[in-house]
C-alpha cells in the first residue's frame, strides 16, 4: 500500500508511515479504499482476507522520529483498528481477519544496532499493550531483520495472550539482512518462546531471492505465508528508487502459486513493495488453481 501511495498517488509518507493518514477524512478514505478493495477481491475469488493495519511504524521511536508523541500514537493505533473493524462490519464478511501490524524498531533492511530479546520485549510490549485494547484478531510483526527482535515481539504478544505472526525479510541472497538464514532465525525464535508464534512468513523480498532456499525440512512447516515484492531490486536499491518498479503482476502471481504447489501448507499470500490491486488479483486468482 505504502509504495502505491508514494509512487502512484503522489503522497508524501515521512518515515514510510501511513498511520498519519488516519488524521484526515481524505486519508481515512484512502485507507478504507484499500481494505474495501481487498474484501471485494476476496468475495470475487472466494478467498479469505487478512487486513493489515497502517501501524507498522506507529511505535514510540519510529513515531518520535517523525514528530509524534506516544499519546498521539496511542490514539492512532486505536483509531486504525476501529476503522478496520467498521470496514469489516460494513462488508458483512465476519471472517475477515484484522491484523495489527507492527514493525522493527530500526531500519528493517539495515538496523544500526540489535536489541537483545529482553530489550525487544520491553520496546514492543508498549505498542502491543495499546493494540490489545482493540478489536484485533492477531499481532503481525513484519519485515524483521534478526531473530532477537522477533523473540521479543513474540514474548510481548504472549504477555497479553495474543496470537502473533512473525514475518522475516531477506536479501537477494535469501538470508536475513543480519546474516541469519531463515532456518536459523525460525529455529531460534521457536526455541526461545516454546513455539508460541502461530506461524512465520517471508515479506519484502521477490520470490527469486528466496524460493531456492525453501526446502522440505521441519522448519519449513512453520512458514505459512509469503508477502512478496513485485520488484527484484535489492533493499538498498529500493531505498534509493525514485520510480516504482512494479514488476510483472501475472508473473508474480504464477511464482507464488508455484511456491504454494511445492508447499501446500502455505496458506497466506500477498503483495509487498511495488504491488497494487493488479498484483493482488493475479495472486488470488493463481492461488485458487495451485
Amino acid at each position: 500500500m505504502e509504495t502505491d501511495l508514494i509512487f502512484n498517488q503522489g503522497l508524501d509518507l515521512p518515515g514510510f508511515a501511513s498511520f498519519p493518514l488516519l488524521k484526515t477524512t481524505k486519508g481515512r478514505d484512502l485507507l478504507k479504499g484499500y481494505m474495501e478493495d481487498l474484501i471485494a477481491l476476496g468475495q470475487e475469488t472466494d478467498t479469505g482476507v487478512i487486513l493489515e493495519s497502517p501501524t507498522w511504524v506507529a511505535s514510540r521511536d519510529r513515531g518520535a522520529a517523525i514528530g509524534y508523541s506516544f499519546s498521539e500514537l496511542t490514539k492512532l493505533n486505536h483509531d486504525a483498528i476501529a476503522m478496520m473493524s467498521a470496514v469489516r462490519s460494513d462488508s458483512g464478511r465476519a471472517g475477515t481477519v484484522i491484523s495489527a501490524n507492527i514493525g522493527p524498531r530500526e531500519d528493517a533492511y539495515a538496523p544500526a544496532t540489535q536489541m537483545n530479546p529482553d530489550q525487544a520485549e520491553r520496546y514492543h510490549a508498549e505498542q502491543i499493550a495499546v493494540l490489545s485494547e482493540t478489536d484485533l484478531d492477531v499481532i503481525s510483526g513484519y519485515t524483521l531483520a534478526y531473530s532477537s527482535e522477533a523473540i521479543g515481539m513474540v514474548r510481548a504478544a504472549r504477555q497479553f495472550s495474543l496470537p502473533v505472526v512473525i514475518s522475516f525479510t531477506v536479501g537477494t541472497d535469501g538470508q536475513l539482512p543480519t546474516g541469519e538464514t531463515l532456518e536459523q532465525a525460525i529455529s531460534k525464535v521457536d526455541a526461545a518462546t516454546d513455539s508460541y508464534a502461530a506461524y512465520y512468513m517471508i515479506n519484502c523480498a521477490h520470490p527469486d531471492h528466496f524460493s531456492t532456499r525453501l526446502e522440505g525440512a521441519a522448519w519449513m512447516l512453520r512458514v505459512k505465508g509469503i508477502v512478496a515484492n513485485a520488484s527484484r531490486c535489492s533493499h538498498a536499491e529500493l531505498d534509493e528508487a525514485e520510480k516504482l518498479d512494479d514488476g510483472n503482476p501475472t508473473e508474480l502471481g504464477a511464482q507464488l502459486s508455484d511456491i504454494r504447489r511445492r508447499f501446500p501448507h502455505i496458506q497466506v499470500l500477498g503483495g509487498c513493495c511495488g504491488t497494487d490491486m493488479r498484483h493482488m488479483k493475479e495472486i488470488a486468482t493463481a492461488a485458487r488453481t495451485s
Side-chain angles (χ1 to χ4, degrees):
M1 180 181 69
E2 287 83 356
T3 55
D4 185 54
L5 287 169
I6 293 169
F7 290 101
N8 292 334
Q9 302 196 42
L11 271 66
D12 182 26
L13 299 182
F16 211 62
S18 54
F19 68 81
L21 296 175
L22 292 160
K23 297 171 62 178
T24 67
T25 300
K26 179 181 178 182
R28 288 193 298 273
D29 287 345
L30 279 170
L31 294 172
K32 287 192 289 187
Y34 281 99
M35 296 172 190
E36 290 164 352
D37 286 348
L38 282 172
I39 290 173
L41 178 61
Q43 292 174 322
E44 178 186 339
T45 57
D46 193 27
T47 54
V49 174
I50 300 174
L51 300 179
E52 295 291 345
S53 66
T55 55
W56 182 65
V57 292
S59 60
R60 183 180 291 272
D61 286 4
R62 300 297 289 269
I66 55 173
Y68 285 85
S69 68
F70 188 71
S71 62
E72 291 174 307
L73 294 170
T74 296
K75 181 180 186 305
L76 290 167
N77 273 280
H78 285 165
D79 289 350
I81 306 302
M83 178 192 70
M84 297 167 72
S85 182
V87 169
R88 176 171 64 181
S89 178
D90 290 345
S91 75
R93 293 199 80 192
T96 298
V97 174
I98 294 178
S99 167
N101 194 305
I102 64 175
R105 186 176 189 175
E106 294 194 13
D107 188 322
Y109 302 152
T113 59
Q114 296 184 35
M115 295 179 288
N116 63 41
D118 290 342
Q119 292 169 327
E121 181 177 357
R122 285 194 296 272
Y123 181 77
H124 291 294
E126 194 172 49
Q127 185 181 12
I128 290 173
V130 170
L131 290 165
S132 72
E133 301 167 342
T134 71
D135 190 26
L136 62 80
D137 294 309
V138 62
I139 295 287
S140 294
Y142 262 71
T143 325
L144 302 184
Y146 60 102
S147 58
S148 293
E149 184 163 27
I151 291 169
M153 278 189 178
V154 172
R155 289 177 176 173
R158 186 166 57 183
Q159 282 187 38
F160 299 92
S161 301
L162 294 172
V164 60
V165 171
I166 293 296
S167 186
F168 289 111
T169 188
V170 298
T172 56
D173 61 358
Q175 295 185 340
L176 276 63
T178 46
E180 292 174 290
T181 65
L182 285 165
E183 179 180 7
Q184 289 170 337
I186 290 169
S187 298
K188 287 177 184 177
V189 178
D190 270 351
T193 61
D194 298 321
S195 301
Y196 183 80
Y199 57 89
Y200 294 86
M201 302 201 304
I202 303 165
N203 85 289
C204 208
H206 190 274
D208 284 0
H209 300 162
F210 59 81
S211 60
T212 59
R213 297 279 183 151
L214 306 181
E215 57 185 29
W219 68 270
M220 187 62 203
L221 294 176
R222 295 287 281 140
V223 179
K224 296 188 178 180
I226 307 289
V227 179
N229 285 355
S231 172
R232 288 181 168 85
C233 290
S234 67
H235 290 154
E237 290 169 330
L238 288 172
D239 273 344
E240 298 297 323
E242 296 183 0
K243 182 179 179 181
L244 182 67
D245 178 5
D246 60 0
N248 182 319
T250 303
E251 179 189 51
L252 184 64
Q255 287 181 301
L256 292 182
S257 178
D258 179 63
I259 289 173
R260 190 161 182 264
R261 273 192 292 270
R262 290 167 55 199
F263 304 100
H265 67 279
I266 291 178
Q267 296 295 308
V268 180
L269 299 175
C272 205
C273 293
T275 62
D276 54 35
M277 288 305 299
R278 294 172 301 148
H279 302 76
M280 293 301 298
K281 184 170 184 177
E282 293 290 345
I283 291 167
T285 302
R288 290 188 65 198
T289 63
S290 61

